Every structure is written in structure tokens, then in C-alpha cells.
Amino acid sequence: MNTTSEQVEHGWGKVADVFRKNFEGDGEVGAACSVYVDGRPVVNLRDGLADRDAGRPWRDDTIVQVASTTKGAAAICAHMLVQRGELDLDAPVTRYWPEFGAAGKEEIPVRWLLSHQVGLPIVDGPLTFEQACAWEPVIRALEAQKPLWQPGTEHVYHSVTYGFLVGEVVRRITGKSLGTFFADEVAAPLGLSAWIGLPEEHEDRVSRLHYAAPFSVEELLAGMINVTGLDADTVTAWVNAVWGADSVQARAGELGGALDNTTSYFTTRAWRAAEFPAANMIADAHSIARMYAATVSDVDGVRLLTPTTVERMTEIQTDKTPMHGLPPGLDIPADRSFNMSLGFWRACPPMPMTGPGSFGHPGSGGSIGFADPDARVGFGYVTNLWNFRPDDPRAADLSKAVRSCLD
């Protein structure tokens, strides 16, 4: 059965060529890619299988988990409130969420939540999966949690807590959960197939996840050297310090014991139904591209963010503080590691996107969404073949093809 679907405007064939190459050379199972320019779609591609074992084809209405690509959607929601004058990034979090001020957190400004500098990548717990899905127990744990470092002096990726921290501020201001705010203020006006907290009626559209072959530590290091351009000694010391077995980064994904990868919690209806605004958006590529396009252009009369908002929210923050957990004397430049603004990655060698002004967010496994305000591009790529190699070429090659079509 031919499952391919293509909408490719004249001059955009290179993107389709790379998309096909991903299936032929890189083992793609099922995927989709979408590109908007000046508020209109110029590329929409999908192919492959939504479930390889069942032989279920990837259809136009197929949706898939996009992991931390979710964080970009959460950040867009927060900056919509900033734009409306309802959220001040330099105000203390306690202005909106008074209980957050426990354990020495009284003066922490909102911007440190969005830039991963707040010192709360982990919670001590213990928390159960059911408690995490219920939201409030995680909020109580974060209120009581003491920061791991003096907030604002270091940064490290808040892989799960980011969504609860930003999401609770949005909830306190609007009275809506972040998933509901996203549905009402972003997805509905733009007609997106994207949810943070998936309604049960869409369950049969969800693609099954498949996994690329495992790789060795040596391959991991080689991949990071390749994408960062750093020397082998620096990369080895960095990986050992930040991603070791008992490192903060390793513990950050556990959420106080609630999230245990050996249980495959992320394949359950309970996970998809709950709101984890750092990690569990379910979407298609067209919706991600359309969302990002609406941050840099009008999309059918809808524009989410003004140019001034975009300029302010994309100022790089992680070049101002060192990465937490690095040994003394080891310097990892932000643009070679974690080039983070206020909720978005900025373009850098490990994640070039389509140009220096680009901003967006990748997801574990391979998905990514981003915008380029200079080229007025919105881009979305989703896949059900999760590949955790740092030098996974699929999205990077598609981005390069977009850039070449713009030149």
C-alpha cells in the first residue's frame, strides 16, 4: 500500500527529497513534515506506518507524541500572557503563586523558570505516577523543594519540572490549566490537531512508538563531538559529569520516582490524558508548523505574538550562567550545548534550524518545531521512530533543505 501524501509547492522539492531519504537511508517508520512561509503552507509530507507491527498506515489525521517539543507550546502560552500585560517576567513568581516562596524561593523571577535557571530540575518525592498525573501533588512538592543551587547563578535542563513550573503560573493567572489555555487560545483559533492532555475520542489516531537500535557510549560521545564541534576530552568530561548514572540530569526525568521508564508509562492512556506541559503534547507536523508560523506571521488572520514579543523572548539566557554539575575549570559554551532563551532553543551548531534568528524546541526521539522570524518560516517534523543519538540526521537534514530552498 502506498501511504505517501505530498503537498510540495514549486521550488520546495529538496525538502521532499530529504524526507524520502530519511525512509530509504535512515530507517524511518512513520513521519510527517510541514513548512509554512509567510503564513501559508508550502510543504506537507507524510509517509510510512503509524504502527509497524499492525501494518497501520500513517494517515493525514495521524498524531504522535512529541516529547519536549511540548515545551515550545508551553512557552508560547506564557509569552502570550506577557504580551497581554498579565505576566511580568521580572516579577517574583510569588506575585502569581504565593506558596512558591517556601524554602528560600521568595525572590525568584518568572524568567528563571523559563530559562532553566531556577534550580528545581528535580523533586525529592517520593511521588507516584498517579500523583504526577493529578498535577496538585507535584505543585505541592515544588513549593516545598529547596533549589539545588542559588537560583539565577547556574542552569541545567528542567526536563519535566519545567512544565509544572510554567504551567502553574499560567493557571494562577488565567484560572485555566496550561493544556486548557493552549486548547482555547492557540489550538482552537488556528485549527490545530495538537493537545496537552489528549481527549479520549482522539485515541485511535495516535501512532505507536518504535525505537531505533541502541548505541554505545563511544557512539554517543562521537555523535556529540560531531554536532558540538568540541574536543573529545571536553565532551567526555561533560557527559560523565552531567549525564552520569546518579547525576542531576539523570534524576530530572524521574520526577521524584513518578516516571519510571521501565514501566512504559508513556504508552498509557493515563499519560496521554494528563497534562505534562514539558513532555506529553500529542500533535501532527502540520499543527506544529502552523503554530510556529503564527508566532512570526499572520496565519489565516491569526497571529499569536508580535515582533517585539519574539525579540524579547528569544534573547539567549544560558550564556550568562554556567551549566550545573560541571567540574571546576570545564567551560561548555551555551551555543555548543544548551542555547536557551526564555523557553526556546536558539539556533546553534548542535541545532542549526534555518538561520541565526531561529527559535524552537526539539523533543526526545527526534521531533522538532521552530520558527525563523527573518525568513517568516514555521517548521514541524514528527516521527514515531524515536532515535536518541545526538547526531540523528533526520530533522537536521530537513532543516538544511528548507534553508536551501529559501536561498
Side-chain angles (χ1 to χ4, degrees):
M1 177 184 296
N2 182 4
T3 62
T4 303
S5 177
E6 292 190 359
Q7 173 205 340
V8 183
E9 288 203 357
H10 179 72
W12 289 89
K14 290 180 182 178
V15 180
D17 292 342
V18 171
F19 187 73
R20 295 187 203 101
K21 184 272 297 178
N22 286 348
F23 283 87
E24 296 161 2
D26 295 310
E28 196 83 91
V29 176
C33 178
S34 181
V35 183
Y36 270 67
V37 179
D38 286 324
R40 62 183 187 83
V42 296
V43 173
N44 268 310
L45 302 163
R46 57 103 172 149
D47 201 355
L49 298 172
D51 185 333
R52 180 169 55 191
D53 297 343
R56 175 163 59 100
W58 192 290
R59 303 186 186 280
D60 287 337
D61 68 347
T62 296
I63 50 180
V64 66
Q65 295 192 57
V66 298
S68 285
T69 301
T70 310
K71 290 182 174 70
I76 287 169
C77 292
H79 288 290
M80 290 174 70
L81 295 179
V82 174
Q83 185 169 273
R84 296 173 186 177
E86 298 179 53
L87 175 60
D88 182 347
L89 294 174
D90 293 311
V93 176
T94 52
R95 175 183 295 181
Y96 312 102
W97 177 6
E99 301 89 341
F100 180 79
K105 304 193 296 295
E106 299 91 341
E107 303 301 322
I108 292 172
V110 173
R111 67 172 56 246
W112 292 350
L113 306 186
L114 286 155
S115 57
H116 301 256
Q117 298 183 92
V118 69
L120 297 170
I122 65 170
V123 291
D124 292 330
L127 289 170
T128 66
F129 177 64
E130 291 73 21
Q131 287 175 316
C133 291
W135 188 269
E136 289 291 345
V138 181
I139 300 307
R140 300 288 86 79
L142 287 167
E143 290 169 354
Q145 187 73 36
K146 181 180 178 180
L148 288 180
W149 60 82
Q150 182 180 345
T153 65
E154 295 182 293
H155 68 267
V156 86
Y157 189 46
H158 289 49
S159 54
V160 181
T161 58
Y162 169 95
F164 287 93
L165 294 165
V166 175
E168 184 64 9
V169 171
V170 170
R171 188 175 77 90
R172 294 297 179 111
I173 293 171
T174 67
K176 299 179 179 181
S177 70
L178 192 139
T180 301
F181 182 89
F182 175 78
D184 292 347
E185 305 285 344
V186 180
L190 289 167
L192 307 184
S193 286
W195 296 268
I196 302 171
L198 183 71
E200 189 167 10
E201 61 263 30
H202 299 292
E203 273 288 320
D204 61 353
R205 298 170 57 186
V206 179
S207 172
R208 180 175 180 174
L209 298 181
H210 302 276
Y211 299 92
F215 51 91
S216 66
V217 172
E218 291 74 18
E219 289 173 308
L220 167 66
L221 294 174
M224 292 190 68
I225 292 166
N226 180 47
V227 299
T228 64
L230 298 170
D231 64 88
D233 289 345
T234 296
V235 169
T236 301
W238 172 25
V239 169
N240 288 339
V242 178
W243 283 286
D246 195 38
S247 67
V248 168
Q249 199 65 85
R251 295 166 58 202
E254 299 172 356
L255 197 65
L259 305 181
D260 180 353
N261 284 336
T262 65
T263 65
S264 297
Y265 66 86
F266 45 85
T267 68
T268 65
R269 168 63 194 153
W271 164 258
R272 293 190 287 268
E275 292 188 21
F276 288 82
N280 81 330
M281 184 163 73
I282 312 287
D284 58 24
H286 180 257
S287 295
I288 293 171
R290 188 172 172 86
M291 174 183 74
Y292 272 103
T295 67
V296 295
S297 58
D298 289 337
V299 178
D300 293 332
V302 176
R303 179 152 187 166
L304 299 176
L305 302 173
T306 67
T308 299
T309 299
V310 170
E311 182 179 0
R312 291 174 178 172
M313 77 185 189
T314 56
E315 181 184 350
I316 297 167
Q317 305 293 308
T318 50
D319 61 347
K320 300 173 177 62
T321 56
M323 185 178 292
H324 176 76
L326 294 180
L330 182 63
D331 178 34
I332 306 292
D335 67 355
R336 300 285 166 169
S337 58
F338 188 46
N339 211 34
M340 176 60 60
S341 64
L342 292 167
F344 305 96
W345 281 74
R346 289 296 308 278
C348 58
M351 196 170 300
M353 304 186 216
T354 54
S358 301
F359 66 92
H361 213 292
S364 179
S367 70
I368 190 170
F370 66 80
D372 184 333
D374 299 319
R376 297 167 64 83
V377 163
F379 177 90
Y381 164 72
V382 302
T383 176
N384 64 2
L385 180 69
W386 280 25
N387 186 340
F388 302 101
R389 295 181 66 119
D391 55 349
D392 176 9
R394 295 172 295 170
D397 288 351
L398 287 165
S399 300
K400 290 176 185 175
V402 173
R403 179 71 265 170
S404 70
C405 294
L406 290 167
D407 291 339

